[in-house]
Amino acid sequence: MNAKNLRALTKDEKGATAIEYGLIAALVALGIVAALGTLQGGLSGLFTTVAGSL
């Protein structure tokens, strides 16, 4: 590998960007899971009430 290829490799940030997007997606998914866990009891009660009304 020559010096030109080595410089081009060190300037390539595509992998770092992909990792950042992956971390953002993981945080969003974690937030959704936490929100659904919080709402679980309320939604269960709501569906029970609707089912009883039908």
Side-chain angles (χ1 to χ4, degrees), residues 22-44:
L23 289 173
I24 291 169
L27 287 174
V28 168
L30 184 63
I32 290 171
V33 168
L36 290 177
T38 303
L39 295 174
Q40 179 181 4
L43 288 175
S44 178

Side-chain angles (χ1 to χ4, degrees), residues 1-3 6-7 10 12 14 16-19 24-25 27-29 32 34-35 37 41 44 46 48-50 52-53:
M1 182 178 284
N2 61 22
L6 188 58
R7 276 188 236 120
T10 58
D12 185 17
K14 290 179 187 174
T17 303
I19 291 171
I24 291 169
L27 287 174
V28 168
I32 290 171
S44 178
L46 176 67
T48 303
T49 303
V50 170
S53 297

